[in-house]
Structure formats: C-alpha cells, structure tokens
Amino acid sequence: MSTSVLDLFNIGIGPSSSHTVGPMRAARDFIENVEKAGNLPKTVRVVTKLYGSLGATGRGHGSDTAVLLGLLGACPRGVDVEAIPDMIADIRVRKNISILGKQDIHFEEETDLQLLPRERLDFHPNGMEFWAYAECGEELARAIYYSIGGGFIVTEHEAEMDHFEEEVVKHPYPFTSAQELLERCGETDRPISWVMLENEKVTHSEEHIRTSLLEIWEVMKECVQRGCSRGGVMPGLKVKRRAAELYKQLSTKAEAALTDPLTILDWVNLYALAVNEENAVGGRVVTAPTNGAAGIVPAVLHYYANFVPGANDDGIVRFLLTAGAVGRLFKENASISGAEVGCQGEVGSACSMAAAGLAEVLGGTPEQVENAAEIAMEHNLGLTCDPIGGLVQVPCIERNAMASIKAINAARLALKGDGEHFVTLDKVIRTMRITGRDMQSKYKETAEGGLAVTVPIAATVVDC
Ligand code: SF4
C-alpha cells in the first residue's frame, strides 16, 4: 500500500474523519453501487447499521447525519456546510430521503439507521452495514464497509483480500519504514520532501501536487480565519468557543509580544483552537491526518508562515510533503484511528507529522527530521481517546493546542542535535501499535473511559 500525501490531507467536514467523513463516503459509495447495478428505481428502503465505536459515539460525531448526507449523494469535500442542518431537518420532518437526489424513499430513523455500540464486526471497530430493499422486501444489495481512520474506507472484500497488497504502486524511491526512508535520502543526498515528491509523481504531475497542497494550505488558512471570527458556545457540551476571544486579545495587544517572548505560543494555541472549534461544529476542515487532530499541522504551518523568517510557498509544500511521508509510516505500520489505537494514533501521529515538517523547513537533515518525528510521537505514547459525551470537543480541542506546541519543541530539540538518537522512529511506531493493541476498548473512541466517565455531563448530548 502507498498512501498519497493528497489522501492524508484531504478537504472534508467535521467533526470526525472516521465517524463523519468515512461513513458519508461509505453511504454514498453503497448507494452509487446500487445505481450502477440498475437497482435505484426499484429501491424503496435503505437500512444502515453502525457498529462498535461508530455505534457508541456516532451521534456525537455526526455519523448518523453523515450517512444521510452520503445517501443523498453528498461528498465531504463538496457538501455545502451551511446547508447541512436544513438538509437533515428536511429528511427527518418528511420521513423521506431522496437517494442520490433521484429516488424518493420512506425513511424511518429508528429502524432504518441503527446505532449498535455493543455489536462489532471483526476487521475494525468502525464497521457499517448497508442494505437496499425492493417493494416486497426483496434484498437488492448488501455491503459492509469499515472506516479505518482519516476518512479512509475499505469494503468487506478489500479487508478480506488485504487490499493494501492489491494496490501496490511502484515508486522510484520506495520505503516502508523510517529506516528505508533515510536510506533513500542518503542514496540520493536529498531531503525527505524530495523523496516523497518523486514517489508522488508516479500518480500525479508535479504541478498538480503543488497546486493541491497549496489549495490545502488555503483551506487551512480559511478555517483558522473562520475559527477566529466565531464566538458563542458549541452544541452538545455547551462549551464556550475560545479562539475568537483569544484572537481579539492577541491582535489588540500586539505590543505584549515585546515584553513576553512566549506570546508566539499564544498564537500557536490560537491557530489550533480555531481549527478544532470549527471541526467540532461540523465546519470545513482539512483532515490532517484525522479530523480530531486537524488543528496540529495547520497550527504549526501557521507558526512557520507567520514567525519563521523567509517562509514561503515552497516551504509550505515541502512541509506538507515531509509531514505526509511521516503520516504514511504511521498509517501503514500502525494506525491513525482513535478507535483502533487511541488518541496516540490521532493526535500523536499529527504531532509527529508536524514536527517532521517543521524540522525540514527549518533546515534539518533527514536524520534530524526523523528525530523530530520520533520525539513528538514518543511523548504521546499511551494517549487514550476519551471524548466527553462522545463529542470531539473536550479534551480534543485543547489537546490539539498542546500537541502543536509539543511539535514545535520536538523540532527544536532535534535541530539542536546531530540526528543521532537512542530510540528510532520505527521503534516508536511499533510501540504505538503494540500499546494500542493492549489498550482497553473503553479508551478507544467509545466514550466509556477516562474523562468521558469522570466528567459527568448535565445536558443531553445533541449533534454537532
Ligand atoms: S480524544 Fe483524540 S482520538 Fe479521541 S476523539 Fe478526541 S482527538 Fe480524536
């Protein structure tokens, strides 16, 4: 398997890549297959079951809404975020859904969209099953999908076939581990971003890659701007949004930076809070590499763009390519799914990716970049997933701010050394995988452990 940087960073909607983006893609894929088989006109009922983690935190993460949007034919990248509440209200009020916008069918939410937290499919905790029926109850189609993190989905067939081997792309500079990546850099005397770019050029032109990465950067900037301009409380936990107020403080007291050199940290915190607050309310974000951890790479990129002398678009592209190379290692050798390995897979991976990207654009050697990625992950090992109320708000939003600062510190620590270090990135990735396997499921996106249990919520959870 070779995950593209354009898959790791993709434009979608909040609040969760595995629980919102993945289910939306799966529902749309299912219903498109029904249409391809010529069965859309015969379909009178569609039933969806969400298992395991999707069943446990699906409402808080908007999985139910995402499935309905997917059945309507919407996609995470293109859906009009502002129109979503009206689209969903229309389905619920009329008890009718227009599948792919072409075929009106009756929709009974209680029976047609079931969340089953106690049932689980074998391959992954985020399982989904879809059925399409004709008039007399005849089954027209049935399919199982898994949302494996970062918005990626696999079908039951792909899971059984080990599709990772099926879709091998021949790269000129192949790597499956950090060690191999360093070897490719050593053989060519080139940085990690160059190796990644040359491999990406097998499937896309250099111009397309650059344009797409800069578009991703634009969406990140727009997301920060929106987050800085919107106050109020977030639905569900009724937690106050902080980014807008913090932005006001920082921009009206710019002179504070003259007496407090750590003001830069306030700005980094701001960027992360802004993105994750937007994510929590279902706004447009860049999955990086998941939505729960969507604030870290943009926050560190903003730090680079706004505070590092000489920052430019070339640096942005190199940052994202390097971060993508590290993200690939986590996705292919461990997991970026909180439901599979806990928050270390989401926030930990994003922290490591951001540290690597920053270390490279600050002039780090490949060894220093690998060291930065390793430091950032090493100190996220064991991080559990325990979202209060099953919502991507607490601890997720603040956790992104903390991890952004950690990523910058990891890059700085690595750049002060010569690249030699005791624990390798490969060892840390392996440790993350093993730790995640040993972690009890209550700490893996089920909202059944940690803060999700010790902090009671007064209000009934409502969808983001
Ligand atoms: S705690 Fe971490 S893994 Fe869990 S939902 Fe929040 S950001 Fe995602």
Side-chain angles (χ1 to χ4, degrees):
M1 181 192 192
S2 39
T3 310
S4 165
V5 66
L6 301 179
D7 295 326
L8 281 164
F9 298 115
N10 60 78
I11 299 163
I13 61 164
S16 167
S17 46
S18 57
H19 286 56
T20 317
V21 175
M24 195 189 302
R25 286 191 176 140
R28 182 174 143 133
D29 190 69
F30 171 73
I31 208 66
E32 281 181 342
N33 286 336
V34 171
E35 184 182 40
K36 275 183 212 148
N39 285 326
L40 201 65
K42 285 195 259 172
T43 302
V44 297
R45 188 177 174 217
V46 174
V47 173
T48 306
K49 292 186 180 178
L50 303 177
Y51 298 105
S53 172
L54 287 177
T57 60
R59 288 211 199 281
H61 284 72
S63 308
D64 49 353
T65 303
V67 166
L68 297 179
L69 291 169
L71 293 177
L72 285 172
C75 66
R77 190 185 179 104
V79 67
D80 177 356
V81 174
E82 306 296 334
I84 289 175
D86 287 343
M87 291 158 86
I88 299 302
D90 181 61
I91 293 171
R92 287 179 169 147
V93 169
R94 292 194 305 118
K95 293 194 170 196
N96 189 290
I97 182 163
S98 176
I99 45 176
L100 287 181
K102 297 175 181 171
Q103 165 86 348
D104 274 10
I105 61 169
H106 183 67
F107 172 71
E108 201 65 55
E109 185 141 7
E110 202 176 320
T111 51
D112 296 347
L113 183 46
Q114 299 177 37
L115 279 75
L116 304 167
R118 305 271 162 234
E119 291 181 37
R120 197 199 130 121
L121 303 179
D122 285 342
F123 176 69
H124 192 280
N126 291 335
M128 293 162 272
E129 197 165 10
F130 298 90
W131 291 263
Y133 294 102
E135 191 67 66
C136 50
E138 178 200 353
E139 184 180 298
L140 297 170
R142 172 188 163 274
I144 287 177
Y145 291 83
Y146 299 95
S147 179
I148 59 170
F152 293 89
I153 53 168
V154 294
T155 63
E156 180 182 34
H157 177 66
E158 287 166 336
E160 279 166 6
M161 293 267 304
D162 189 359
H163 81 299
F164 304 123
E165 284 175 23
E166 215 183 7
E167 294 177 5
V168 166
V169 175
K170 290 267 179 270
H171 283 156
Y173 302 100
F175 64 89
T176 58
S177 65
Q179 176 60 37
E180 288 178 6
L181 177 56
L182 288 179
E183 284 167 13
R184 299 297 89 81
C185 292
E187 289 155 12
T188 55
D189 198 19
R190 299 285 193 158
I192 288 174
S193 59
W194 184 88
V195 170
M196 190 68 179
L197 178 62
E198 291 304 304
N199 287 342
E200 293 283 326
K201 279 158 65 178
V202 170
T203 41
H204 300 291
S205 71
E206 185 167 346
E207 192 191 340
H208 175 80
I209 297 162
R210 182 181 168 86
T211 308
S212 302
L213 291 176
L214 290 175
E215 184 194 353
I216 281 163
W217 169 230
E218 281 306 312
V219 175
M220 288 177 174
K221 284 193 286 186
E222 286 162 15
C223 186
V224 166
Q225 282 161 13
R226 275 197 315 278
C228 288
S229 65
R230 293 181 180 174
V233 294
M234 289 172 278
L237 300 184
K238 309 279 190 280
V239 176
K240 202 169 162 235
R241 294 180 72 148
R242 286 182 284 177
E245 179 55 35
L246 180 54
Y247 175 67
K248 212 190 294 173
Q249 281 178 29
L250 290 172
S251 47
T252 53
K253 293 181 190 154
E255 69 286 355
L258 300 174
T259 52
D260 180 1
L262 293 186
T263 302
I264 289 176
L265 299 191
D266 296 335
W267 282 99
V268 176
N269 285 329
L270 167 70
Y271 304 137
L273 294 179
V275 171
N276 287 86
E277 286 175 2
E278 277 296 292
N279 179 60
V281 298
R284 171 85 57 227
V285 297
V286 174
T287 304
T290 64
N291 281 21
I296 300 161
V297 169
V300 179
L301 260 178
H302 274 80
Y303 164 76
Y304 164 70
N306 295 342
F307 295 104
V308 173
N312 55 30
D313 280 355
D314 287 346
I316 300 289
V317 170
R318 284 177 54 213
F319 184 119
L320 289 172
L321 284 166
T322 308
V326 170
R328 242 188 80 177
L329 295 174
F330 280 106
K331 183 170 184 306
E332 294 173 11
N333 296 308
S335 173
I336 55 169
S337 164
E340 210 175 356
V341 293
C343 196
Q344 54 173 357
E346 294 207 11
V347 162
S349 299
C351 182
S352 182
M353 292 164 65
L358 182 62
E360 171 151 333
V361 294
L362 291 180
T365 63
E367 288 76 16
Q368 287 172 318
V369 171
E370 184 259 359
N371 191 7
E374 181 278 317
I375 294 170
M377 185 67 222
E378 183 180 325
H379 306 289
N380 278 298
L381 286 174
L383 193 64
T384 61
C385 169
D386 53 356
I388 297 176
L391 296 160
V392 194
Q393 296 181 10
V394 184
C396 319
I397 296 171
E398 207 171 75
R399 186 167 285 176
N400 275 254
M402 299 302 290
S404 303
I405 303 294
K406 194 184 279 189
I408 294 171
N409 199 26
R412 293 182 72 88
L413 265 174
L415 291 171
K416 296 290 181 224
D418 60 6
E420 264 197 48
H421 53 109
F422 193 70
V423 181
T424 66
L425 177 57
D426 288 327
K427 285 272 161 44
V428 165
I429 293 173
R430 183 161 178 268
T431 307
M432 191 264 263
R433 188 180 73 231
I434 295 168
T435 306
R437 200 175 55 206
D438 291 345
M439 205 180 268
Q440 291 182 42
S441 73
K442 65 181 179 179
Y443 298 118
K444 294 194 267 191
E445 221 160 339
T446 54
E448 290 175 348
L451 289 171
V453 170
T454 54
V455 181
I457 48 170
T460 307
V461 169
V462 293
D463 297 341
C464 286

